């Protein structure tokens, strides 16, 4: 009987194994892909629903912020005091359009006296206290989300803003989350849906928890998220959906690609098996002739083991050679390669010492860190080479040496500051292992003279970062403690002497509390803005902004601080002042920071001026004070983070509230996001002080107006 050749055996076995493996993998992959596609689609609609609910909540917060902003406008209080209904409605219409609201109104003692937009019903008494709320006009109409705020300057007056959660609003939310969005009221949600979708909505309303499900009958994946009012009650649901067709098409493409790949792999495996089998059979005859030479000690003869009928006469000689040669050479080469890769290839410094702590080996990374040549330090005491510095000018080589501690504890780790011959003072972390006494390491050495290895990592930059963190935290603690201490003192006086105090004294303490709160608010805003800038999330909204209104709001916010130091503030802007394109709250923060800086650095009783100038392509607004001036500080240093203004001479102290060095850096970041720039200049001729200029482009505002 003819025996099967080695080539035929390899080809047959290889093709059978590959076909079996490819078939099993393809079947498992298709099943897994279907399952993963369903999971991914459900996760996508669930995430889109959660994002849509968050977007609705953000819109409510924006409506509440708009109501509070409207309630703080001095012009609104003036018109309300004059009972100028026409002026009120005109002002509300302008504010509504600028703030992108569906409607807004002003009420006095519960009665609406002026409104703009659609005549939405007023909130009930429980909702008119200054928070968000939800309303419905008629059965079947969309939900109305509103916010109300009490006007502090007009007792009994309330401003209310409205947003209608209709199809247009849902389309705007859908453009943000990337999937179609439907907003339904609680009592209409189940009634407006049938089948599985109605069941899912009822489960969500019953459990008040979001859910997502695959609706095969409707051909969609649907996600349902409960919509809650500020009290936590569910007032409706937010529904997102993803068509099954898109997911099925993508899955079909993946399955087709997988099948095509399986066919190609099978064909390639068959061709490869033919080539490999021919390549393996060819050296068989040469191996038979080389067996005698290998058995005689000819180690240069290559050996290529392969199965087959021809290998039966060579098996004894091949096993003998493998036992005597391969085991020894492979093991030695493996150890040599591993040692070289570990000691030379790692990024950390490594050095080894003997029992006397004399250096016996040092890798290039350790030599570069210490600024020495590896060959020159062999045999020297490690403490003389590293020169660690302890407290009080002592070296830790005897009392806290990590090498000695590792000999008793198995391993140790210590952070040390070194003093190098070149004057450098790096901070390193040294990890020491127990001595290795298993093998001799030196030429002619003994096992008891084993080496002890240390890994050294440079942490100089990490230590500098920690120090900077401590300095920043100390500044933050100091800046927060000052206004809090003043507020606490005022509160204690009010608590102990309120009954016996006159109205002017109470007003003085309340003004002190207001100034402390304003200072804390500014510090917190600057910290949050700095974090957003550092994280790359410092974005602005684009809209037409009236700079004179922005400056007016900034002046109102900082007026208590300016009054505290008896400073005079003058505003002289050209008329008409062109509008710019940008983010009004961000620009308000710019001028609040500039006015706060001028307030701190200008002497008490001095003047602060706000002026402006226009040009065809840009508009300039400056804040000028009568402080110490620019001095010799470079232009760019004013706008760096955590940089505080230095004293002009040795006897001069910094301002009472030195700040954290964030205000001008935030000003620079916001203005540059608007396409503008900030410059620090000398004050007007004859005035000692500083003029901080904000230059903004006006082209976009002109183009956007269309007039």
């Amino acid at each position: 009987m003819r025996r099967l050749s080695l080539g035929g055996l390899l080809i047959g076995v290889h093709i059978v194994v590959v076909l079996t493996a490819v078939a099993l993998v393809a079947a498992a992959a298709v099943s897994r892909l279907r399952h993963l596609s369903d999971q991914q689609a459900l996760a996508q609609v669930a995430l889109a629903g959660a994002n849509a609910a968050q977007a609705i909540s953000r819109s409510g917060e924006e409506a509440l912020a708009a109501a509070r902003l409207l309630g703080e406008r001095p012009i609104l209080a003036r018109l309300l005091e004059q009972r100028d209904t026409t002026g009120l409605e005109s002002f509300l219409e302008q504010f509504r359009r600028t703030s992108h609201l569906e409607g807004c109104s002003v009420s006095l003692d519960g009665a609406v006296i002026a409104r703009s937009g659609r005549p939405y019903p007023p909130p009930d008494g429980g909702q008119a206290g200054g928070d968000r709320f939800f309303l419905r006009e008629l059965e079947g109409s969309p939900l109305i989300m509103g916010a109300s705020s009490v006007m502090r300057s007009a007792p009994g007056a309330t401003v209310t803003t409205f947003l209608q959660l209709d199809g247009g609003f849902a389309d705007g939310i859908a453009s943000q989350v990337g999937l179609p969005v439907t907003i339904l009221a609680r009592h209409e949600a189940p009634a407006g849906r049938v089948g599985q979708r109605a069941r899912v909505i009822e489960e969500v309303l019953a459990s008040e928890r979001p859910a997502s499900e695959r609706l095969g009958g409707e051909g969609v994946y649907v996600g349902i998220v409960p919509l809650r009012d500020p009290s936590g009650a569910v007032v409706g649901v937010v529904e997102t959906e993803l068509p099954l067709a898109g997911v099925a098409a993508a899955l079909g493409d993946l399955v087709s690609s997988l099948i095509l790949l399986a066919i190609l792999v099978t064909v390639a495996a068959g061709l490869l098996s033919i080539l490999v089998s021919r390549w393996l059979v060819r050296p068989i005859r040469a191996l038979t002739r080389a067996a005698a030479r290998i058995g005689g000690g000819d180690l240069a003869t290559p050996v290529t083991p392969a199965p087959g009928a021809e290998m039966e006469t060579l098996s004894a000689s091949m096993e003998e050679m493998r036992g005597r040669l391969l085991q020894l050479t492979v093991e030695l080469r493996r150890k040599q390669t591993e040692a070289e890769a570990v000691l030379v290839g790692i990024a950390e410094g490594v050095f080894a010492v003997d029992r006397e702590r004399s250096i016996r080996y040092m890798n290039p990374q350790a030599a570069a860190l210490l600024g020495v040549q590896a060959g020159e330090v062999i045999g020297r005491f490690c403490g003389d080479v590293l020169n660690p510095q302890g407290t009080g000018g002592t070296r830790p080589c005897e009392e806290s040496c990590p090498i000695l501690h590792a000999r008793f504890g198995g391993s140790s780790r210590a952070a040390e500051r070194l003093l190098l011959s070149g004057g450098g003072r790096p901070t390193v972390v040294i990890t020491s292992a127990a001595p290795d006494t298993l093998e001799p390491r030196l030429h002619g050495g003994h096992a008891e003279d084993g080496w002890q290895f240390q890994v050294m990592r440079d942490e100089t930059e990490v230590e500098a970062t920690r120090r900077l963190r401590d300095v920043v935290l100390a500044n933050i603690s100091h800046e927060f403690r000052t206004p809090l201490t003043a507020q606490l003192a005022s509160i204690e006086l009010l608590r102990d002497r309120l009954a016996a105090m006159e109205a002017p004294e109470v007003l003085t303490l309340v003004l002190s509390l207001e100034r402390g709160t304003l200072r804390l608010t500014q510090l917190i805003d600057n910290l949050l803005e700095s974090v957003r800038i550092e994280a790359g999330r410092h974005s602005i909204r684009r809209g037409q902004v009236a700079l004179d209104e922005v400056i007016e709001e900034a002046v109102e916010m900082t007026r208590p601080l300016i009054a505290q130091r008896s400073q005079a503030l003058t505003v002289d802007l050209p008329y008409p002042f062109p509008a710019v394109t940008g983010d009004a709250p961000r620009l308000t923060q710019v001028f609040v920071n500039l006015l706060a800086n001028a307030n701190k650095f200008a002497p008490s009783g001095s003047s602060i001026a706000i002026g402006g100038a226009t040009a065809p392509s840009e508009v300039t607004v400056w804040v000028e004070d009568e402080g110490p001036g620019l001095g010799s500080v470079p232009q760019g240093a004013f706008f760096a983070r955590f940089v505080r203004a230095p004293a002009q001479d040795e006897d001069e102290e910094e301002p009472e509230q030195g700040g954290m060095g964030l205000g001008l850096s935030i000003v620079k970041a916001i203005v540059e996001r608007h396409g503008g720039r900030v410059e620090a200049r000398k004050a007007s001729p004859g005035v000692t002080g500083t003029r901080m200029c904000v230059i903004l482009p006006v082209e976009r505002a002109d183009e956007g107006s269309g007039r």
Side-chain angles (χ1 to χ4, degrees):
M1 182 178 179
R2 185 177 179 180
R3 301 181 63 180
L4 183 63
S5 66
L6 179 61
L9 178 63
L10 287 176
I11 293 173
V13 172
H14 195 196
I15 291 178
V16 171
V17 170
V18 169
L19 283 175
T20 304
V22 168
L24 293 176
V25 170
V30 170
S31 175
R32 186 61 178 170
L33 284 174
R34 288 198 180 98
H35 179 68
L36 290 177
S37 64
D38 284 343
Q39 286 186 331
Q40 184 178 6
L42 292 174
Q44 184 177 354
V45 296
L47 178 61
N51 290 338
Q54 291 179 359
I56 295 173
S57 179
R58 286 195 300 271
S59 297
E61 294 294 338
E62 292 172 359
L64 178 58
R68 291 173 177 172
L69 179 62
L70 178 60
E72 294 174 358
R73 288 292 179 89
I75 187 173
L76 181 65
R78 185 168 62 253
L79 293 173
L80 184 61
E81 182 180 358
Q82 298 171 357
R83 296 296 189 272
D84 186 355
T85 305
T86 303
L88 282 171
E89 292 181 349
S90 176
F91 181 77
L92 291 177
E93 178 64 19
Q94 180 183 2
F95 182 83
R96 183 185 68 82
R97 293 180 179 275
T98 304
S99 302
H100 306 289
L101 299 171
E102 295 291 335
C104 56
S105 63
V106 177
S107 303
L108 185 61
D109 297 328
V112 177
I113 63 173
R115 61 162 51 95
S116 174
R118 296 185 57 183
Y120 292 106
D124 57 32
Q127 298 167 330
D131 207 342
R132 298 182 290 116
F133 56 86
F134 285 88
L135 296 173
R136 290 181 58 199
E137 287 185 291
L138 299 171
E139 188 72 24
S141 62
L143 280 172
I144 300 170
M145 181 168 60
S148 62
S149 176
V150 177
M151 292 182 61
R152 298 181 181 178
S153 57
T158 305
V159 294
T160 310
T161 57
F162 299 96
L163 286 174
Q164 184 164 315
L165 308 187
D166 54 7
F169 182 86
D171 292 341
I173 299 297
S175 65
Q176 298 180 33
V177 303
L179 290 179
V181 175
T182 304
I183 304 173
L184 299 174
R186 179 185 181 97
H187 300 294
E188 296 174 353
R193 296 292 186 266
V194 296
Q196 284 184 284
R197 190 185 297 254
R199 177 183 56 79
V200 176
I201 293 176
E202 291 175 354
E203 292 177 356
V204 170
L205 292 176
S207 64
E208 297 188 355
R209 298 178 60 183
S212 57
E213 193 164 328
R214 182 179 187 272
L215 306 181
E218 300 183 23
V220 295
Y221 297 93
V222 66
I224 309 296
V225 177
L227 180 61
R228 302 177 184 272
D229 62 11
S231 66
V234 176
V235 298
V237 296
V238 180
E239 181 181 289
T240 56
E241 60 181 41
L242 176 66
L244 284 173
V247 178
L251 180 61
D253 293 340
L254 287 175
V255 172
S256 301
S257 300
L258 183 62
I259 294 174
L260 179 60
L261 179 62
I263 295 173
L264 293 177
V265 168
T266 304
V267 173
L271 295 175
L272 182 62
S273 64
I274 295 174
L275 296 176
V276 171
S277 63
R278 291 181 178 179
W279 179 75
L280 289 176
V281 171
R282 189 177 299 113
I284 296 299
R285 297 184 184 275
L287 289 177
T288 304
R289 294 191 297 267
R293 294 196 303 270
I294 295 174
D298 187 2
L299 303 181
T301 302
V303 178
T304 308
E310 294 83 357
M311 293 298 298
E312 291 181 0
T313 57
L314 302 177
S315 58
S317 298
M318 294 298 297
E319 289 298 327
E320 182 181 0
M321 295 302 102
R322 288 163 62 88
R324 288 189 305 163
L325 184 63
L326 294 179
Q327 183 178 0
L328 178 61
T329 56
V330 169
E331 184 66 19
L332 290 177
R333 289 175 182 175
R334 184 181 64 81
K335 287 188 175 182
Q336 180 181 4
T337 302
E338 290 177 354
E340 292 178 354
V342 170
L343 297 178
V344 180
I346 63 175
E348 289 80 4
V350 177
F351 66 95
V353 298
D354 56 18
R355 289 191 175 275
E356 302 299 327
R357 291 185 286 174
S358 297
I359 295 178
R360 309 313 300 264
Y361 170 80
M362 179 174 289
N363 72 344
Q365 290 81 352
L369 176 60
L370 299 176
V372 298
Q373 297 293 329
E376 297 176 356
V377 300
I378 300 301
R380 294 177 57 187
F381 179 61
C382 64
D384 295 335
V385 177
L386 274 65
N387 196 12
Q389 302 297 302
T391 57
T394 60
R395 292 200 308 179
C397 293
E398 299 301 331
E399 298 180 358
S400 58
C401 179
I403 299 176
L404 296 179
H405 289 178
R407 293 179 180 177
F408 298 97
S411 64
S412 68
R413 179 174 177 171
E416 295 184 349
R417 190 169 185 180
L418 311 181
L419 177 59
L420 304 183
S421 58
R425 293 177 176 269
T427 300
V428 299
V429 175
I430 299 178
T431 304
S432 181
D436 185 358
T437 59
L438 297 179
E439 299 183 41
R441 296 294 182 182
L442 306 178
H443 297 291
H446 301 285
E448 57 270 16
D449 295 329
W451 290 2
Q452 185 173 355
F453 284 87
Q454 283 69 232
V455 178
M456 184 167 54
R457 185 175 71 253
D458 187 0
E459 289 202 353
T460 306
E461 294 184 0
V462 175
E463 186 66 22
T465 302
R466 293 194 187 105
R467 289 197 296 271
L468 177 60
R469 178 201 61 193
D470 295 340
V471 170
V472 173
L473 289 177
N475 287 340
I476 292 175
S477 300
H478 171 73
E479 290 302 319
F480 273 73
R481 187 180 294 111
T482 300
L484 284 175
T485 301
Q487 285 184 310
L488 181 60
S490 299
I491 292 173
E492 290 176 350
L493 284 174
L494 285 173
R495 181 195 62 193
D496 298 336
R497 300 172 52 191
L498 181 60
M501 292 177 70
E502 298 294 334
E505 295 178 322
V506 175
L507 179 60
T508 301
L509 291 177
V510 171
L511 289 177
S512 176
L513 290 173
E514 181 183 9
R515 288 192 295 268
T517 303
L518 179 60
R519 178 62 180 164
L520 286 173
T521 302
Q522 184 187 2
L523 290 172
I524 293 171
D525 289 344
N526 284 343
L527 282 173
L528 293 177
E529 194 71 23
S530 176
V531 171
R532 283 194 291 267
I533 294 171
E534 188 70 17
R537 297 193 296 267
H538 185 65
S539 60
I540 64 171
R541 297 182 178 179
R542 298 290 178 181
Q544 211 172 47
V545 178
L547 279 180
D548 51 355
E549 295 182 3
V550 167
I551 294 171
E552 178 185 355
E553 183 173 354
V555 168
E556 290 299 324
M557 292 177 66
T558 55
R559 192 176 298 279
L561 296 177
I562 295 173
Q564 181 187 14
R565 304 192 67 192
S566 301
Q567 294 168 333
L569 176 63
T570 60
V571 180
D572 185 12
L573 298 175
Y575 182 83
F577 209 52
V580 299
T581 299
D583 191 333
R586 292 284 190 265
L587 292 175
T588 301
Q589 187 175 4
V590 167
F591 291 105
V592 167
N593 281 346
L594 292 180
L595 286 171
N597 267 14
N599 166 254
K600 286 189 295 184
F601 288 97
S604 298
S606 62
S607 297
I608 299 174
I610 300 178
T614 61
S617 60
E618 63 185 21
V619 60
T620 303
V621 181
W622 61 76
V623 177
E624 185 175 279
D625 60 65
E626 297 179 356
L630 298 176
S632 58
V633 180
Q635 177 75 226
F638 279 101
F639 306 103
R641 296 175 71 240
F642 303 114
V643 172
R644 301 161 69 178
Q648 299 298 313
D649 53 60
E650 296 180 355
D651 298 329
E652 183 182 352
E653 297 181 355
E654 67 178 57
E656 179 182 354
Q657 296 181 6
M660 294 176 294
L662 290 176
L664 290 181
S665 67
I666 292 172
V667 168
K668 182 174 182 290
I670 294 175
V671 173
E672 288 181 349
R673 287 297 180 102
H674 284 77
R677 64 187 187 277
V678 184
E679 297 178 359
R681 303 173 183 172
K682 293 183 178 179
S684 303
V687 178
T688 300
T690 306
R691 173 179 286 190
M692 304 300 296
C693 299
V694 176
I695 300 99
L696 296 171
V698 297
E699 293 87 355
R700 290 188 178 180
D702 296 339
E703 294 171 3
S705 64
R707 297 188 291 270

